[in-house]
Amino acid sequence: MLVKEYMHHPVITVHPETTMPEALDLMRAQHIRRLPVVDNRGHLVGIIAEKDLLRASPSEATTLSVWEARELTRKVTVESLMTHDVVTISDDTPLEEAARIMEDSDISGLPVTVEGKLVGIITESDLFKAFLEMLGGREAGVRLTILVPRGPGQLAKVAQQIVNLGGDIIALATAAGDNSETGTITVKVSGVSKEDLVNALTPMVLRITDVREKAS
């Protein structure tokens, strides 16, 4: 799963000389919270977030009229408010690496560049969609979370048991367990009943921590 498979493209952008009202109007019309800023060659030079624009807008307590306030902000350009040192990634970055960078940098979107040119943008919403897809959130089936000992072959044993039952693995994910010696496997399966699946896996795992079924 790579960034290029989930990023938004083409990207809605603005130029450094775009005014505050123009940028805000564009964000609201397109239902987005950030805009990459590009030069005339399409190279990324900054990024502006909705919160940056709102922070620079006149307070509601101002004595200025709506028209006076808008005229005042019309003199302010994106260039004076944007973040210049932008964290970016390439389109062939693994999705989990994009998530790590967002978490470590405390940001909710990453412009995607190739040789300095903007080719896309990936956001938290895109990661949520990938997570939903990875765990088969929209698919019918039996979903189990099981605790297993850490070690070679554990995942293969679980998968083989499901295959032996005639089940089809829709989605599968692993995570840390209770301690360094255990791991968690979450699997979604179709083609087999919940009871049969639980009975087949119980003897070969440490514990089934959750089981539920989603109808079609």
Side-chain angles (χ1 to χ4, degrees):
M1 302 172 77
L2 302 178
V3 163
K4 59 185 168 187
E5 299 167 21
Y6 291 91
M7 69 183 187
H8 280 79
H9 62 93
V11 192
I12 300 170
T13 63
V14 291
H15 293 289
E17 62 272 16
T18 301
T19 66
M20 275 183 60
E22 290 171 336
L24 269 174
D25 289 347
L26 183 58
M27 285 183 184
R28 289 165 180 168
Q30 298 296 328
H31 306 289
I32 54 180
R33 293 179 296 167
R34 65 193 63 77
L35 287 165
V37 186
V38 297
D39 61 20
N40 293 330
R41 297 174 297 166
H43 289 100
L44 186 71
V45 295
I47 192 166
I48 186 77
E50 182 182 40
K51 63 182 180 180
D52 299 325
L53 296 170
L54 294 177
R55 192 181 297 121
S57 299
S59 165
E60 292 182 0
T62 181
T63 57
L64 296 173
S65 69
V66 172
W67 306 112
E68 289 172 326
R70 191 170 178 87
E71 186 59 33
L72 180 64
T73 57
R74 200 184 300 276
K75 298 176 182 178
V76 181
T77 64
V78 163
E79 186 174 23
S80 63
L81 302 172
M82 69 184 186
T83 298
H84 293 264
D85 187 16
V86 186
V87 180
T88 65
I89 52 173
S90 61
D91 62 348
D92 61 352
T93 301
L95 214 56
E96 66 271 21
E97 178 66 7
R100 184 197 64 77
I101 293 172
M102 286 188 198
E103 173 68 17
D104 291 351
S105 303
D106 193 25
I107 53 179
S108 57
L110 283 168
V112 185
T113 59
V114 174
E115 296 181 354
K117 193 165 185 178
L118 184 69
V119 297
I121 187 168
I122 190 159
T123 68
E124 287 177 333
S125 296
D126 300 317
L127 296 181
F128 292 152
K129 290 176 184 176
F131 179 75
L132 181 65
E133 180 182 311
M134 183 176 65
L135 288 181
R138 299 189 189 280
E139 303 289 332
V142 181
R143 179 189 186 276
L144 285 93
T145 300
I146 55 182
L147 188 70
V148 298
R150 281 191 179 275
Q154 291 297 325
L155 186 58
K157 291 176 184 177
V158 171
Q160 187 59 56
Q161 186 75 318
I162 293 171
V163 171
N164 292 342
L165 286 173
D168 179 24
I169 298 176
I170 298 170
L172 187 148
T174 62
D178 295 338
N179 52 57
S180 61
E181 297 180 351
T182 62
T184 297
I185 299 173
T186 297
V187 61
K188 194 165 197 178
V189 181
S190 66
V192 62
S193 72
K194 179 168 70 173
E195 182 180 2
D196 287 345
L197 196 57
V198 169
N199 288 339
L201 292 181
T202 297
M204 58 184 304
V205 303
L206 296 175
R207 187 169 71 249
I208 294 180
T209 60
D210 183 74
V211 57
R212 60 191 71 198
E213 188 168 11
K214 183 180 184 299
S216 56

